[in-house]
Amino acid sequence: MNFKRARTDEQRAERRRAILATADEMLTEMPVAKLSFNELSRRVCLAKANIVRYVESREAVLLELLDGHLRDWIAELAGSAPAGSAPAEGTPRERGDALAAELAESLARRPVLCDLISSQATVLEHNVSTETAIEHKHALFGAMESLIAVIRRHLPEFGEREAYDLVATAILVTAAAWPHSRPSEAMKAAYERDPAVAAMRVDFTELVGRTLAVTISGLLAREHDRPAIPG
């Protein structure tokens, strides 16, 4: 196939969108670790030498997809607690448990997002330019601010610091729990054969939910125990 370079800004943007959409579709078929630039090039019918005219690297593509999936996830959560709505009834502990379960279950419904999060620090943030890294971190900061706002609608007892700590914990526990909850074929066979080994199998939703519930309880307790500032 003869390569036809996009000449206008609109054509370049359209080709870039096609590359990102193709990579996103590939992630529904394979994990991040198996998505290669060669296969992406083949599917978009562009040689690697030409595809880099539109995206700087495989990792830069995946970082941009991570940003998009984070925005979609937070929009879903925001829909369950729209701005201006009163928090659900219940004690802070009850609302915290409900929030932890919602966060864990909503993450489990988004395997591509979880896979991208688990690869962020070790893969996605490498082989990118400083400009791309800065752009990604600004996007991540904006996403975290939006998620902090959602959390504080559920738990108005939280200040900005407590909500930020919960967001950070959610991201970090997802990064750790996701790969451990996706066992290899050999490990699956071991779990099926040996009940003692099977007890070590990680249930992603249960582990993330429990960890976040405990974190919320701890943050609420620390907030309650904080000494009052003298007037």
Side-chain angles (χ1 to χ4, degrees):
M1 176 179 295
N2 293 327
F3 171 66
K4 294 183 179 180
R5 184 182 299 179
R7 299 292 181 181
T8 67
D9 289 344
E10 183 178 350
Q11 289 172 337
R12 283 188 286 272
E14 178 56 36
R15 188 156 290 175
R16 195 169 185 281
R17 284 193 294 269
I19 292 168
L20 290 168
T22 300
D24 205 15
E25 183 178 352
M26 290 171 67
L27 288 177
T28 66
E29 306 169 12
M30 63 187 72
V32 166
K34 293 188 176 180
L35 191 154
S36 70
F37 218 34
N38 285 336
E39 179 61 13
L40 177 58
S41 299
R42 187 188 70 79
R43 293 200 187 194
V44 297
C45 301
L46 289 174
K48 286 177 65 176
N50 292 325
I51 200 172
V52 294
R53 298 177 186 272
Y54 308 102
V55 294
E56 73 178 44
S57 66
R58 163 185 175 269
E59 290 76 16
V61 169
L62 294 170
L63 269 185
E64 189 159 345
L65 292 179
L66 169 60
D67 296 339
H69 280 276
L70 275 172
R71 288 194 300 271
D72 291 344
W73 174 53
I74 295 168
E76 175 192 334
L77 294 170
S80 67
S85 61
E89 294 183 359
T91 65
R93 169 70 180 273
E94 290 168 341
R95 286 184 276 111
D97 287 351
L99 174 60
E102 181 178 357
L103 290 171
E105 290 164 6
S106 63
L107 282 165
R109 292 194 298 269
R110 294 177 175 271
V112 171
L113 172 60
C114 293
D115 195 21
L116 288 166
I117 289 174
S118 71
S119 303
Q120 179 183 356
T122 57
V123 178
L124 275 57
E125 293 183 351
H126 298 258
N127 193 31
V128 295
S129 65
T130 301
E131 290 73 19
T132 294
I134 291 172
E135 184 178 344
H136 162 65
K137 288 301 183 181
H138 277 291
L140 183 59
F141 181 74
M144 292 185 75
E145 283 192 319
S146 297
L147 187 50
I148 285 169
V150 171
I151 287 170
R152 295 188 71 193
R153 289 173 208 152
H154 286 270
L155 288 167
E157 294 84 0
F158 272 6
E160 292 278 344
R161 180 74 241 185
E162 289 75 23
Y164 176 87
D165 288 345
L166 180 60
V167 170
T169 300
I171 296 299
L172 291 173
V173 74
T174 296
W178 185 253
H180 284 285
S181 69
R182 320 303 287 180
S184 66
E185 292 304 317
M187 290 307 303
K188 288 179 182 178
Y191 292 145
E192 292 172 1
R193 184 181 302 179
D194 190 329
V197 173
M200 301 175 67
R201 184 164 188 172
V202 173
D203 182 299
F204 176 82
T205 307
E206 195 275 335
L207 176 59
V208 173
R210 185 175 71 250
T211 302
L212 295 183
V214 171
T215 300
I216 290 170
S217 293
L219 290 169
L220 285 169
R222 290 175 68 89
E223 179 70 11
H224 178 75
D225 293 340
R226 182 179 296 173
I229 299 174

